[in-house]
Amino acid sequence: MTEFCQFVLIGLVTGSLYALIALGYTMVYGIIELINFAHGDLFMLGSFLALQLVITIGVAATPGSAPAPPAPSTGAAVLAIGLMLVAAPVFCAALNAVVDRAVYKPVRAAPKLAAIVSAIGVSFIFMNMGLFWFGPVDLNFPSLVPNTNLLDGTDLRFTYKDLMVVVVTIPAMVLLTFFVRYTTLGKAMRAAAQDPTAARLMGIDVDRVISATFAIGGALAGVASVVYGLYFNTVGYQMGFQNGVYAFTAAVLGGIGNIPGAVLGGIVIGLVRALGSKYAGEEWSEALIFAILIIILLFRPTGILGARTREKV
Amino acid sequence: MPPLLDVRDLEAGYGPISVLHQLSLTVEQGEIVALIGANGAGKTTTLMCLSAVVKARAGRVVFDGRDLVAGRVPAHEVVRLGLAQAPEGRKIFPRLTVLENLQMGAYTRTDHDAVGKDIEKAFGMFPILRDRQHQAGGLLSGGQQQMLAIARALMARPKLLLLDEPSLGLAPQIVVQIFDVIRELNRQGVSVLLVEQNARMALKVAHRGYVLETGRITCTDKADVLLNDPRIRAAYLGE
Ligand SMILES: Nc1ncnc2c1ncn2[C@@H]1O[C@H](COP(=O)(O)OP(=O)(O)O)[C@@H](O)[C@H]1O
Ligand SMILES: [Mg+2]
């Protein structure tokens, strides 16, 4: 029983990370029906920028060079984390919005396939940028958050690292929900997603709203990339693909285009991975995720929360 | 005084298809003008062109002294200039609440206190919308959606209101109610360009009318003259 609880805990923590990435897929899909294949790679570039930052300020070693710098003081670690949590989201937001303007906007009027192929192209470009940046080998991401157990005295492990993931991801998701539900731009995003022509008739600059959507999705990927690096302490140019696929699966599972659905899907994927690796074996957890995806899509193609959305007026 | 809206030799279409041919019409300040015509004549295309959602290929659309075509004014700027539309099929945002739909109508405005008052005014005009304000727009009946579409367009405080088939698919008593509202709005100073297949109702409420046939204006006159024109009666009034 304790073991079960332990893996549920792991699932919830990693799941909230997938949820954060999944939101970027689902928001962009919701507004322009584009599956942004480059989103996972944007996430990878975010973690690279974060790594570059800690190397530059001397908290982490340049890859391949010995020796490692001494462990930073708590103050320096907090400062470094704070810096990364500002820089990576800003970088990813700007990059995503620029790509929207430069690549997707020109093909907006063309058939959907043009945008999808462009997204695949951007994915390759991002991946190669990563390859060029830090090379093909996996890199150590500095362990700035201690691994001490907060539940000492019980049989469960919940470390500062786990806490960090929760403390960053949950408020980010709450903030996003609040933003989309109550702010004028958030309402305009939903309006443009539901009926772009009507949105234009309201005086909404739909292109601007789409750019904002890319920026917000990118910022969330940037937050996730920092949390991921600090949690797993390994990053590499291919991390965008695997995590992108998980997050995309989460988005589809929850009903693509649906924001609460993406969060729910992320949590479910996290749980399936954790419990799957415990009870079915690590090698099966990935297959399990896709099996569940296929089953849900067969019996409920709109995902868990996607059904009530597409009523036609 | 120059007309509020002055359309000259407007040409528009979709891809290789040309729909509007040298279309000219005017709407004076304070007028209700009806644009009638059969299904597919190009009425919706005309209104979408005025709202800059469909691009004009040639001609002029001078609204309140500004040429929207020459100035390449984008759709979202047109609203700011005072030209709002309640489009065909209503185009209510189905998963926004009634209140949020109204707020989107005021998207271009920055005078937030006055917006709140205008929402109250809209609720005064259509009390059912007040009762349903927290419901999703997609759950309203057709008549309620039409009221919401008109109220939403009014939230922009337009000088000219474009209405595309507001009576389509509605029960007769609702149609009467909608046309009463149009008359009342006009009394309050809103100019209206009214597109209708229900030509009788439209010409009864309008001051002047235009007849559109396959993208060309074929006839224009005072509304009561058109109502009594034998050809119009035969073609559009089912006599
Ligand atoms: N989006 C579109 N793409 C191609 N053709 C269109 C489109 N919308 C309308 N049309 C064509 O333009 C013509 C005029 O349509 P429309 O303006 O909707 O007429 P109305 O509103 O008078 O019924 C029709 O022949 C219609 O088939
Ligand atoms: Mg029409």
Side-chain angles (χ1 to χ4, degrees), chain A residues 81-105:
Chain A
I81 293 171
L83 273 177
M84 287 190 289
L85 278 175
V86 172
V90 167
F91 170 72
C92 290
L95 187 55
N96 219 23
V98 165
V99 167
D100 169 54
R101 279 287 150 131
V103 180
Y104 304 131
K105 186 174 170 237

Side-chain angles (χ1 to χ4, degrees), chain B residues 14 17 19 38-46 88 165:
Chain B
Y14 307 91
I17 313 159
V19 175
N39 201 2
K43 305 182 294 297
T44 298
T45 303
T46 305
E88 184 176 60
E165 310 236 25

Side-chain angles (χ1 to χ4, degrees), chain A residues 181 184-185 187-188 190-192 194-195 197-206 208-209 308-311 313, chain B residues 48 51-53 75-76 79-80 85 87 89 91-96 100-101 103-105 107-108 138 145 152:
Chain A
R181 190 168 300 175
T184 301
L185 181 56
K187 288 176 203 171
R190 286 186 286 145
Q194 291 170 32
D195 192 329
T197 302
R200 295 171 72 192
L201 290 175
M202 299 302 109
I204 295 170
D205 184 348
V206 172
R208 231 196 81 217
V209 168
R308 59 201 167 84
T309 53
R310 294 270 152 180
E311 67 271 74
V313 190
Chain B
M48 283 303 181
S51 288
V53 169
H76 60 268
V79 184
R80 217 179 292 271
Q85 180 177 170
K91 288 189 164 290
I92 297 304
F93 301 113
R95 277 161 279 134
L96 295 192
E100 286 169 337
N101 267 279
Q103 289 166 344
M104 285 300 99
Y107 183 80
T108 52
Q145 286 195 357
R152 186 180 64 173

Side-chain angles (χ1 to χ4, degrees), chain A residues 16-292:
Chain A
S16 66
L17 238 170
Y18 295 136
L20 215 49
I21 311 173
L23 284 167
Y25 281 102
T26 230
M27 288 175 72
V28 164
Y29 185 88
I31 201 158
I32 54 173
E33 293 180 11
L34 168 71
I35 294 167
N36 184 5
F37 287 103
H39 191 68
D41 304 291
L42 181 78
F43 159 78
M44 176 271 294
L45 286 179
S47 73
F48 275 26
L49 181 92
L51 180 60
Q52 183 70 64
L53 191 72
V54 282
I55 290 171
T56 307
I57 63 175
V59 174
T62 313
S65 81
S73 66
T74 309
V78 169
L79 183 71
I81 293 171
L83 273 177
M84 287 190 289
L85 278 175
V86 172
V90 167
F91 170 72
C92 290
L95 187 55
N96 219 23
V98 165
V99 167
D100 169 54
R101 279 287 150 131
V103 180
Y104 304 131
K105 186 174 170 237
V107 295
R108 200 102 78 208
K112 289 260 148 62
L113 192 61
I116 291 176
V117 173
S118 305
I120 294 172
V122 173
S123 165
F124 278 117
I125 292 171
F126 280 3
M127 218 195 284
N128 279 291
M129 283 165 66
L131 187 60
F132 185 73
W133 196 340
F134 277 126
V137 289
D138 279 351
L139 306 147
N140 285 330
F141 199 95
S143 184
L144 297 177
V145 182
N147 227 346
T148 15
N149 191 5
L150 288 164
L151 298 180
D152 242 355
T154 70
D155 291 336
L156 288 174
R157 262 183 82 73
F158 185 79
T159 66
Y160 275 108
K161 271 188 186 175
D162 295 310
L163 183 66
M164 177 240 356
V165 175
V166 174
V167 161
V168 176
T169 57
I170 305 283
M173 290 188 265
V174 170
L175 215 66
L176 176 77
T177 307
F178 183 86
F179 172 82
V180 169
R181 190 168 300 175
Y182 298 113
T183 66
T184 301
L185 181 56
K187 288 176 203 171
M189 282 164 114
R190 286 186 286 145
Q194 291 170 32
D195 192 329
T197 302
R200 295 171 72 192
L201 290 175
M202 299 302 109
I204 295 170
D205 184 348
V206 172
D207 282 326
R208 231 196 81 217
V209 168
I210 292 172
S211 286
T213 307
F214 271 88
I216 291 166
L220 294 173
V223 171
S225 74
V226 174
V227 174
Y228 181 96
L230 290 170
Y231 190 74
F232 291 108
N233 303 118
T234 305
V235 295
Y237 83 104
Q238 284 181 318
M239 68 189 259
F241 179 72
Q242 192 197 30
N243 293 289
V245 168
Y246 288 161
F248 172 64
T249 307
V252 174
L253 195 63
I256 190 137
N258 184 309
I259 286 175
V263 174
L264 186 65
I267 302 287
V268 171
I269 293 291
L271 286 172
V272 168
R273 267 208 78 196
L275 295 172
S277 65
K278 167 70 188 134
Y279 294 106
E282 178 70 46
E283 68 274 23
W284 286 105
S285 65
E286 235 164 88
L288 207 60
I289 288 170
F290 290 107
I292 289 181

